[in-house]
């Protein structure tokens, strides 16, 4: 790979380079990844970016600090959400979980709503929109608990929404802070008494902030210039059309008898789609069932899917292997009379790329009456046709659908043939809110136009990379749908599209950790979290996602020496050369 194309190897740099709203971050060495997980200052202090549900974007941090300075009471912190209903869900979560702490905490949680004004003229409609946020104020000792809600549900505000709010109200908030401090000094008081607007927030009233700022700050002007320079149109008047196109593009992968744009929904993240799928299950079930029946997590999933099933509802049965024997055990459980609420699975799973027997799961669902939710992010809809075998498909559009690693988003598609369809639609009609920020929609629409073609290129590259790894004597195991166990590959092939492939994601396990470390540290590719990027992205997955529970996840086959690769669109020969150089370096040090 030419040196000019070598990705950044600087700790904390965004991936891609110089991308303000990047969804990945550079952790260029094994040691840096461990240091990040252990909270070492030499890593943490350099983090200028990160995966948005784990790392609070700098614009969101800045907006939070301004709001806290203006409206927080003593010892209060805040998190910002895009709607009042989401803020209420967060408040309910905090109140419930705070009572389970030792000692229990009866928390006072407040919600404040703010909005920017609508455009004042037709000319302003291309750059201004009435944007709304809902701020949850909580005692500072509940910060980590509130962060759980933010991380697990994916319902926090977009960094672009925070950027927009700052551009519209930063001066206003700064002026209010100065006024507040002057008032405190004149009153001889240093306590954080409430301004009139903040006092109204305790009654959950809506506070409309009138701002007129015709001169956007330099950062916004620069971002606009870059977008226009590279042919992207950020005209906010096109946001509704962009969302309509996205819904049609997403649903076009499904047979119209199973799904269309009227049964596809956009969310600001893949986890928000998963969380709201679980909310659907809980709300359309009989109250006694929702309160008593557990769900099933089938296969080792991405960590927050399991967290959602554990922390909302009656709990979860975890079948970490997700294989045929696990399905045998589940069937015996059901045959014995136990009922379950739902089954969630990935197709295939991340990071072990195991494919569940979705056809048999569908048969069990029909027989025993539970809802099936499938996350097809890894396989993606261009490769596999999952919807006929489940009730709901969720997907992280942040990944291959976008590809550019600069926007968070997710989708939820409902099977029109599902026996739960009418109940799901009735619930969605009353409950669904479009809180996918308009600017993010415009980015995603542009990014996803060539989704199908990019997927084919990645599939082809991945198959070549697999052949390279097969020939390495350093590697103990390879996880990829086409080389998985015979049963797992068969389950994948039964729903693989005729023109589909096996995806871009793979995991390799080295026999020796020293070889894994040498390979990872040497390979000149982007290194950080996420997957489905147009460029190859590598991470030591077990270390990054499960550092505090390595022994536990090893029981399910997630080895500490596992390196996960999301294969991109580089020229095949150059990509293979880069990977072989890293393998050769590991082999050389292995033989010393």
């Amino acid at each position: 790979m030419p040196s000019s194309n070598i990705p950044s190897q600087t700790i904390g740099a965004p991936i891609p380079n110089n991308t303000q709203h990047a969804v990945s971050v550079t952790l260029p060495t094994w040691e840096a990844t461990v240091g990040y997980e252990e909270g070492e200052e030499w890593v943490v202090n350099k983090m200028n970016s990160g995966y948005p549900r784990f790392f609070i974007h700098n614009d969101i941090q800045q907006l939070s600090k301004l709001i806290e300075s203006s409206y927080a009471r003593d010892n209060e912190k805040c998190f910002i959400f895009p709607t009042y209903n989401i803020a209420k869900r967060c408040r309910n979560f905090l109140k419930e979980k705070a009572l389970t702490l030792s000692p229990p905490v009866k928390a006072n949680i407040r919600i404040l709503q703010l909005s920017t004004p609508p455009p004042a003229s037709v000319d302003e409609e291309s750059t201004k929109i009435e944007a709304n946020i809902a701020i949850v104020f909580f005692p500072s000792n509940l910060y980590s608990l509130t962060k759980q809600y933010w991380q697990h549900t994916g319902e926090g505000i977009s960094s672009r929404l925070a950027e927009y709010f700052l551009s519209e109200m930063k001066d206003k908030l700064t002026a209010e802070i100065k006024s507040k401090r002057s008032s405190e000094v004149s009153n001889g008081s240093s306590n954080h008494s409430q301004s009139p607007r903040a006092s109204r927030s305790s009654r959950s009233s809506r506070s409309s902030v009138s701002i007129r700022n015709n001169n956007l700050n330099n950062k916004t002007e620069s971002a606009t210039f870059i977008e226009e320079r590279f042919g992207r149109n950020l005209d906010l008047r096109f946001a509704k059309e962009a969302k309509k196109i996205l819904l049609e593009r997403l649903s076009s992968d499904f047979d119209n008898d199973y799904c269309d744009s009227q049964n596809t929904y956009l969310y600001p993240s893949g986890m928000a789609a998963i969380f709201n799928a679980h909310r659907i299950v809980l709300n359309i079930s009989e109250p006694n069932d929702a309160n008593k029946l557990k769900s099933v997590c089938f296969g080792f999933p991405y960590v927050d899917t399991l967290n959602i099933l554990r922390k909302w509802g009656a709990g979860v049965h975890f079948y970490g292997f997700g294989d045929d024997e696990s399905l045998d055990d589940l069937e015996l459980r059901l045959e014995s009379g136990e009922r379950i609420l739902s089954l969630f699975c990935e197709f295939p799973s991340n990071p072990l790329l195991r494919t569940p027997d979705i056809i048999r799961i569908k048969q069990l669902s029909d027989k025993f009456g539970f809802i099936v939710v499938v996350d097809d992010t890894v396989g993606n809809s261009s490769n596999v046709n999952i919807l006929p075998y489940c009730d709901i498909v969720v997907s992280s559009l942040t990944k291959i659908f976008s590809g550019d690693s600069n926007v968070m988003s997710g989708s939820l598609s409902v099977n029109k043939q599902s026996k739960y369809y009418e109940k799901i639609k009735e619930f969605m009609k009353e409950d669904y809110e479009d809180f996918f920020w308009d600017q993010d929609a415009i980015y995603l629409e542009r990014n996803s136009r060539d989704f199908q073609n990019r997927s084919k290129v990645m599939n082809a590259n991945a198959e070549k990379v697999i052949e390279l790894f097969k020939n390495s004597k350093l590697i103990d195991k390879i996880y990829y749908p086409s080389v998985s166990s015979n049963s797992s590959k068969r389950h994948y092939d039964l729903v693989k599209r005729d023109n589909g492939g096996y995806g871009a994601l793979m995991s390799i396990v080295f026999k020796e950790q020293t070889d894994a470390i040498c390979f990872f540290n040497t390979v000149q590719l982007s290194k950080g979290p996420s997957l489905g990027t147009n460029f190859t992205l590598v991470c030591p997955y077990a270390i990054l996602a499960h550092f505090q529970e390595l022994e536990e996840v090893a029981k399910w086959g997630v080895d500490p020496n596992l390196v996960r690769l999301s294969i991109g669109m580089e020229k095949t020969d150059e990509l293979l050369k880069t990977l072989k150089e890293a393998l050769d370096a590991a082999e050389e040090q292995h033989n010393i």
Side-chain angles (χ1 to χ4, degrees):
M1 187 171 293
S3 59
S4 61
N5 293 333
I6 293 176
S8 172
Q9 301 297 306
T10 303
I11 293 173
I15 302 176
N17 292 332
N18 304 313
T19 301
Q20 183 182 352
H21 299 284
V23 303
S24 190
V25 62
T26 302
L27 290 167
T29 65
W30 198 282
E31 294 80 6
T33 307
V34 172
Y36 172 75
E37 293 298 326
E38 292 183 335
E40 295 285 346
E41 290 186 1
W42 66 276
V43 179
V44 175
N45 290 349
K46 297 177 182 177
M47 300 296 286
N48 295 313
S49 183
Y51 199 75
R53 289 188 302 101
F54 295 86
F55 178 89
I56 309 298
H57 190 277
N58 291 331
D59 285 338
I60 299 175
Q61 290 186 46
Q62 185 179 356
L63 180 59
S64 297
K65 289 177 181 177
L66 283 171
I67 289 173
E68 287 170 359
S69 296
S70 296
Y71 303 120
R73 296 171 180 169
D74 285 338
N75 201 36
E76 278 187 334
K77 302 288 287 182
C78 79
F79 268 84
I80 309 172
F81 297 94
T83 75
Y84 178 58
N85 286 331
I86 295 173
K88 286 197 298 183
R89 289 202 284 270
C90 178
R91 178 173 63 188
N92 292 339
F93 175 82
L94 289 179
K95 285 181 173 292
E96 177 187 341
K97 300 303 180 185
L99 292 175
T100 67
L101 298 175
S102 182
V105 176
K106 190 173 182 180
N108 179 31
I109 314 295
R110 303 185 299 115
I111 298 174
L112 166 69
Q113 296 183 83
L114 300 177
S115 65
T116 63
S121 64
V122 173
D123 290 340
E124 282 192 349
E125 288 180 354
S126 64
T127 59
K128 290 184 180 292
I129 189 173
E130 183 178 5
N132 306 294
I133 58 175
I135 306 104
V136 175
F137 291 96
F138 53 87
S140 60
N141 63 341
L142 296 183
Y143 182 87
S144 62
L145 192 61
T146 317
K147 178 76 179 300
Q148 287 181 28
Y149 187 91
W150 175 282
Q151 175 186 320
H152 298 336
T153 70
E155 291 190 321
I157 62 164
S158 155
S159 57
R160 285 191 181 87
L161 174 52
E163 179 187 45
Y164 181 80
F165 245 85
L166 284 170
S167 73
E168 291 292 289
M169 69 184 296
K170 183 176 181 180
D171 292 344
K172 174 74 172 178
L173 282 173
T174 301
E176 288 191 6
I177 293 168
K178 289 180 180 178
S179 175
K180 177 180 175 181
R181 288 175 179 170
S182 297
S183 175
E184 289 171 353
V185 170
S186 64
N187 291 332
S189 171
S190 61
N191 66 355
H192 291 261
S193 59
Q194 289 297 293
S195 67
R197 179 178 296 146
S199 297
R200 291 197 300 272
S201 73
S202 63
R203 299 191 296 272
S204 299
S205 65
R206 184 184 184 89
S207 179
S208 181
V209 181
S210 297
I211 300 105
R212 289 289 179 264
N213 182 4
N214 294 322
N215 297 316
L216 297 177
N217 61 31
N218 291 335
K219 183 173 70 173
T220 304
E221 289 177 348
S222 175
T224 301
F225 170 78
I226 291 171
E227 288 305 307
E228 291 177 352
R229 168 69 178 80
F230 290 98
R232 297 188 185 277
N233 194 335
L234 289 184
D235 192 324
L236 289 171
R237 290 173 297 185
F238 300 143
K240 286 185 174 61
E241 183 65 20
K243 291 182 180 182
K244 180 181 178 182
I245 292 170
L246 284 168
L247 293 173
E248 292 172 348
R249 186 172 296 157
L250 288 163
S251 61
S252 67
D253 275 338
F254 302 117
D255 187 314
N256 193 64
D257 288 340
Y258 288 97
C259 191
D260 53 33
S261 61
Q262 300 300 310
N263 292 285
T264 304
Y265 302 86
L266 292 170
Y267 288 92
S269 68
M271 288 315 303
I274 292 171
F275 177 66
N276 279 278
H278 187 45
R279 290 187 61 243
I280 290 172
V281 172
L282 293 173
N283 280 276
I284 70 170
S285 302
E286 294 296 325
N288 286 341
D289 289 349
N291 293 330
K292 294 181 180 179
L293 300 186
K294 292 184 177 182
S295 292
V296 165
C297 183
F298 195 77
F300 191 91
Y302 182 71
V303 58
D304 282 315
T305 299
L306 191 55
N307 282 326
I308 286 170
L309 298 178
R310 281 173 171 163
K311 296 182 180 182
W312 282 269
V316 61
H317 297 299
F318 179 38
Y319 286 88
F321 292 116
D323 54 14
D324 291 349
E325 289 74 19
S326 300
L327 207 50
D328 290 341
D329 186 81
L330 175 60
E331 185 170 11
L332 286 174
R333 183 190 293 269
L334 296 169
E335 290 282 7
S336 70
E338 181 169 350
R339 296 172 59 215
I340 62 172
L341 203 61
S342 64
L343 183 148
F344 280 67
C345 67
E346 297 174 346
F347 197 98
S349 65
N350 172 22
L352 298 180
L353 286 304
R354 290 173 178 159
T355 306
D357 187 347
I358 193 63
I359 295 176
R360 186 177 168 199
I361 288 172
K362 163 68 171 165
Q363 292 168 347
L364 292 177
S365 167
D366 289 340
K367 182 176 181 180
F368 295 103
F370 57 86
I371 298 171
V372 179
V373 180
V374 177
D375 180 351
D376 76 343
T377 299
V378 174
N380 87 68
S381 60
S382 74
N383 291 321
V384 293
N385 184 23
I386 287 296
L387 193 58
Y389 308 101
C390 59
D391 303 290
I392 296 172
V393 167
V394 291
S395 193
S396 173
L397 308 181
T398 308
K399 311 304 191 301
I400 193 170
F401 187 78
S402 168
D404 278 348
S405 189
N406 64 1
V407 60
M408 293 281 286
S409 48
S411 65
L412 185 155
S413 299
V414 183
N415 183 351
K416 293 196 289 185
Q417 303 296 323
S418 167
K419 62 184 176 182
Y420 304 100
Y421 175 73
E422 295 299 333
K423 287 185 176 181
I424 293 173
K425 289 296 290 184
E426 182 180 354
F427 174 76
M428 293 299 275
K429 182 179 180 180
E430 297 296 322
D431 184 83
Y432 176 73
E433 296 179 287
D434 175 9
F435 53 98
F436 184 37
W437 175 234
D438 284 0
Q439 289 176 324
D440 290 326
I442 294 170
Y443 269 84
L444 184 63
E445 191 281 317
R446 292 300 299 254
N447 291 355
S448 61
R449 289 179 183 179
D450 58 350
F451 156 60
Q452 300 278 357
N453 290 332
R454 286 187 289 105
S455 180
K456 287 181 172 59
V457 173
M458 294 177 188
N459 289 342
N461 270 350
E463 292 285 359
K464 295 293 186 181
V465 171
I466 286 293
E467 292 304 314
L468 173 67
F469 287 145
K470 281 181 179 178
N471 295 323
S472 173
K473 62 184 180 182
L474 302 181
I475 295 174
D476 183 36
K477 296 183 181 71
I478 299 174
Y479 295 109
Y480 187 67
S482 68
V483 298
S484 297
S485 67
N486 289 336
S487 61
S488 180
K489 182 178 185 299
R490 183 172 66 253
H491 301 328
Y492 189 100
D493 287 344
L494 284 173
V495 298
K496 185 169 79 70
R497 298 183 186 276
D498 292 340
N499 60 349
Y502 292 96
L505 195 69
M506 63 183 64
S507 295
I508 54 176
V509 177
F510 286 84
K511 296 175 183 176
E512 304 289 340
Q513 189 168 82
T514 53
D515 297 334
I517 292 172
C518 183
F519 170 83
F520 182 75
N521 290 356
T522 303
V523 70
Q524 295 297 299
L525 294 165
S526 294
K527 303 178 203 176
S530 197
L531 58 93
T533 47
N534 294 336
F535 46 87
T536 299
L537 187 58
V538 190
C539 74
Y541 185 84
I543 302 297
L544 186 61
H546 298 285
F547 186 73
Q548 303 298 331
E549 50 185 6
L550 289 174
E551 289 187 11
E552 176 62 26
V553 299
K555 298 175 184 176
W556 305 107
V558 182
D559 194 287
N561 299 339
L562 185 149
V563 175
R564 191 187 71 178
L565 300 95
S566 178
I567 304 301
M569 298 177 63
E570 295 90 348
K571 292 182 179 178
T572 307
D573 290 345
E574 292 180 2
L575 176 59
L576 292 174
K577 181 175 182 289
T578 300
L579 291 168
K580 188 175 186 304
E581 287 173 351
L583 282 173
D584 289 347
E587 186 168 345
E588 182 177 341
Q589 69 87 33
H590 181 86
N591 293 328
I592 293 176

